[in-house]
Amino acid sequence: METIKNYINGKWVDAECTSYKENFNPSTGVILSKVPISTKDETNRAIEAASTAYERWKNLSVATRCEYLFKLQHLMSENFEDLSRTVSLEQGKNLVDARAELKRTIQNLEVACGMPMLMQGEKLEGIASEIDGEVIRQPMGVFGVIVPFNFPAMVPFWFLPYAIAAGNTIVLKPSEQVPLTMQKIFKIIDQIGLPDGVVNIVNGSIDVVDAMIESPKIKGISFVGSSKIARKIAEECSKRGKRYQALGSAKNYIVVMKDAQLDKVVDSLLTSCYGCAGERCMAASVVAAVPEVYDELKAQFVEAAKKLIVGDALNPDTEMGPVISQAAKDRILGVIETGIKEGAELTLDGRDIVVSDELKKGYFIGPTIFSNVTPDMTIAKEEIFGPVVSMVKIDSLDDALEQIKNHKYGNGASIFTQNGYYARKFEMEASAGMIGINIGIPAPVAYFPFGGIKESFFGDTKAQGKDVINFFTERKIVTARFFKED
Ligand code: NAD
């Protein structure tokens, strides 16, 4: 069991708070970490350190700032397996998913190493006689980064490398449910010689977030988590004139047309619906199929889902691990009850899964499938964030597009079809931020923006890609003229 520390001004420090949260290995129920619920004062000290560091850091050349990231890329790659295993251990996703997460984490670092080009401005000479116009990009100061439990390595790296390569400094609050991964990554960061205060971690919960919101020294906040808190971040930041990008909850549709290749659909459903035990913001949770394929798809999907190997996240044979905590398990079981009460048919019931004697304290739910779900049911309307899928029958592509449009969330949506007309119509009209065509998890790679629409996203510049460079830089427009000396 590890007592988690904060990392402030280049030093590991014991938290001064008196309140702690205990976390357990979700596969075994054995205690793993004790996380301090740090105070506003501790957070303010980290913000102060980041603010002092900013004055020197912003003046280093962008290439020099990136040299630190190159070193970090090298060391994180050397520690790839250890970091992946830490993600599996504390988060519960299997090793395949943890390695995929680490790959994306490092990919973001690599993209941020291109900051000498990404941060370039634009110049247009001769906007009027002997006058030139120019856009320059400058760092802004200290940013707060607040992240969820489901991607303990990757989501912080949607922001951290870009923010600091652009010349800003940061205070990061990891999820209090999965603090070990960032402890390990910051032990690596500690070896690359970054100036003190450029990156800081304060562990905790609401007080850390509120201190960031309230501090005039925080120029902006990057948040990922549930929509309720994303909305709070958006509202509080806009009241105070801060920048924000707040990524929220999801309910992602996979639409299956009659010409879809069903074997490929089923393979994609298994990874999309049950990878990370359904705890992905890009997990498919509603499968909407036309009547011509609905029954056949249901039969094949249920058969395949039954065969998934559920077990300890660290066992190389495991295809699906546990959910994050007992509280999450109880909540998901409650939602399954609601589905039954509201009249959906529980076609595959994962509630009573017995994995093994040694894992009887783990937080397991087996693959679960509801069919005959209608859009008005709670299981279709709300994010479940577990291995529970709703199958919906649709009359047509228009019917599916209407359901997606009416949903409050709009993170991802995919279609399976061989028909170019359907695919293009879906791409143009589906009301979601990230679209897949014959792709189960249309999660953009690091050099594209990542983010949804509607209540899945608050703000206007998304994570990753060119958007995040805009978020972490102030664009100044210079209009200049020089007079000839007489
Ligand atoms: P959460 O909203 O409970 O927590 C997210 C962060 O907010 C954590 O760091 C937490 O400590 C903090 N927090 C919690 N309550 C708070 C409060 N009242 N005030 C201020 N801060 C608070 O989310 P979670 O359970 O950790 O993560 C799951 C959610 O994240 C899901 O809804 C999922 O869809 C979403 N998510 C979205 C994306 C995306 O790209 N849109 C990516 C990953 C996860």
Side-chain angles (χ1 to χ4, degrees):
M1 200 266 294
E2 184 171 332
T3 301
I4 301 299
K5 294 190 177 207
N6 291 334
Y7 185 81
I8 298 176
N9 206 19
K11 287 168 199 61
W12 288 105
V13 288
D14 290 321
E16 290 163 14
C17 58
T18 48
S19 159
Y20 286 83
K21 175 184 186 311
E22 291 183 332
N23 287 310
F24 303 87
N25 176 339
S27 298
T28 60
V30 171
I31 188 158
L32 269 185
S33 62
K34 209 175 119 192
V35 190
I37 303 301
S38 303
T39 59
K40 286 188 176 178
D41 282 350
E42 291 171 290
T43 313
N44 282 326
R45 273 200 286 286
I47 295 171
E48 196 56 49
S51 176
T52 306
Y54 171 67
E55 295 305 323
R56 293 188 307 273
W57 180 246
K58 69 175 179 189
N59 290 325
L60 295 183
S61 76
V62 58
T64 305
R65 295 195 297 257
C66 288
E67 279 170 22
Y68 292 100
L69 296 187
F70 278 107
K71 279 188 215 158
L72 184 56
Q73 191 279 350
H74 180 67
L75 288 179
M76 282 179 64
S77 300
E78 274 185 353
N79 287 278
F80 182 88
E81 195 54 24
D82 182 42
L83 292 172
S84 303
R85 293 182 75 81
T86 306
V87 168
S88 284
L89 175 77
E90 69 171 345
Q91 200 283 333
K93 63 182 72 174
N94 74 2
L95 282 167
V96 173
D97 282 325
R99 290 183 190 122
E101 172 172 354
L102 253 295
K103 260 191 178 321
R104 282 285 171 99
T105 308
I106 292 173
Q107 191 182 63
N108 273 282
L109 201 44
E110 288 162 353
V111 174
C113 285
M115 198 56 75
M117 291 196 73
L118 295 169
M119 211 182 155
Q120 287 179 13
E122 295 168 313
K123 182 160 185 169
L124 180 66
E125 61 178 20
I127 54 167
S129 175
E130 296 186 347
I131 300 180
D132 301 330
E134 190 177 10
V135 179
I136 59 170
R137 288 172 183 276
Q138 296 186 317
M140 295 174 60
V142 186
F143 280 83
V145 178
I146 301 153
V147 293
F149 78 82
N150 61 337
F151 282 88
M154 181 187 76
V155 171
F157 273 64
W158 283 351
F159 312 108
L160 181 152
Y162 303 101
I164 67 170
N168 306 288
T169 56
I170 67 157
V171 177
L172 164 69
K173 191 196 85 60
S175 162
E176 64 276 40
Q177 301 194 74
V178 287
L180 288 171
T181 303
M182 268 306 128
Q183 294 279 293
K184 278 221 163 141
I185 290 179
F186 267 63
K187 280 180 189 151
I188 297 174
I189 289 179
D190 200 38
Q191 295 168 35
I192 63 172
L194 267 180
D196 293 348
V198 171
V199 291
N200 305 272
I201 298 185
V202 185
N203 289 283
S205 179
I206 303 174
D207 279 350
V208 179
V209 175
D210 286 349
M212 288 185 192
I213 290 171
E214 287 159 18
S215 169
K217 292 197 165 156
I218 293 276
K219 297 295 171 211
I221 292 184
S222 301
F223 172 90
V224 183
S226 59
S227 290
K228 185 173 157 231
I229 316 299
R231 184 188 289 280
K232 163 179 163 170
I233 298 289
E235 289 173 355
E236 295 300 327
C237 284
S238 34
K239 268 191 227 159
R240 293 167 171 84
K242 289 186 201 303
R243 284 193 180 178
Y244 59 89
Q245 44 180 187
L247 288 76
S249 309
K251 192 83 183 173
N252 306 312
Y253 271 67
I254 285 195
V255 176
V256 186
M257 302 303 291
K258 67 175 182 212
D259 58 350
Q261 298 186 357
L262 289 195
D263 54 335
K264 302 262 179 7
V265 178
V266 171
D267 286 348
S268 297
L269 289 181
L270 293 180
T271 50
S272 184
C273 303
Y274 300 124
C276 304
E279 294 170 325
R280 277 198 199 112
C281 69
M282 291 299 279
S285 46
V286 179
V287 179
V290 291
E292 292 89 332
V293 294
Y294 185 91
D295 289 333
E296 180 56 28
L297 177 64
K298 182 167 111 176
Q300 288 189 27
F301 182 32
V302 169
E303 272 323 294
K306 270 186 200 164
K307 292 190 189 124
L308 278 179
I309 302 170
V310 180
D312 188 329
L314 284 168
N315 182 334
D317 295 331
T318 293
E319 291 173 307
M320 187 173 91
V323 298
I324 184 69
S325 62
Q326 185 63 48
K329 180 173 174 178
D330 293 344
R331 182 186 55 74
I332 296 163
L333 294 178
V335 182
I336 296 175
E337 284 301 322
T338 306
I340 298 167
K341 277 196 204 119
E342 291 183 357
E345 178 190 310
L346 186 57
T347 312
L348 181 63
D349 184 354
R351 286 176 296 175
D352 294 327
I353 188 165
V354 178
V355 177
S356 69
D357 245 17
E358 309 90 81
L359 301 180
K360 62 175 184 285
K361 291 197 174 141
Y363 316 128
F364 293 97
I365 301 178
T368 298
I369 299 174
F370 277 108
S371 49
N372 294 336
V373 177
T374 52
D376 55 314
M377 291 179 183
T378 306
I379 52 171
K381 286 199 295 202
E382 300 301 331
E383 180 181 57
I384 300 176
F385 225 55
V388 181
V389 180
S390 297
M391 288 197 71
V392 174
K393 209 177 263 180
I394 45 165
D395 299 336
S396 59
L397 179 56
D398 282 331
D399 185 14
L401 287 168
E402 190 63 17
Q403 287 189 30
I404 296 171
K405 186 177 100 191
N406 292 336
H407 207 288
K408 62 182 170 182
Y409 298 130
N411 214 38
S414 290
I415 187 168
F416 278 77
T417 182
Q418 294 295 100
N419 178 312
Y421 172 79
Y422 289 151
R424 184 173 184 281
K425 186 175 166 71
F426 190 81
E427 175 187 338
M428 295 300 150
E429 295 181 24
S431 166
M434 294 171 278
I435 301 294
I437 298 172
N438 297 314
I439 299 281
I441 314 165
V445 289
Y447 23 94
F448 282 98
F450 193 116
I453 59 174
K454 298 186 284 185
E455 289 187 37
S456 292
F457 179 70
F458 300 83
D460 49 21
T461 48
K462 298 185 173 177
Q464 301 188 153
K466 288 183 186 157
D467 274 37
V468 89
I469 316 296
N470 282 340
F471 188 73
F472 287 126
T473 55
E474 188 73 87
R475 276 149 291 160
K476 244 187 210 172
I477 297 89
V478 183
T479 306
R481 167 162 73 173
F482 294 96
F483 301 105
K484 193 173 173 195
E485 301 233 349
D486 292 329

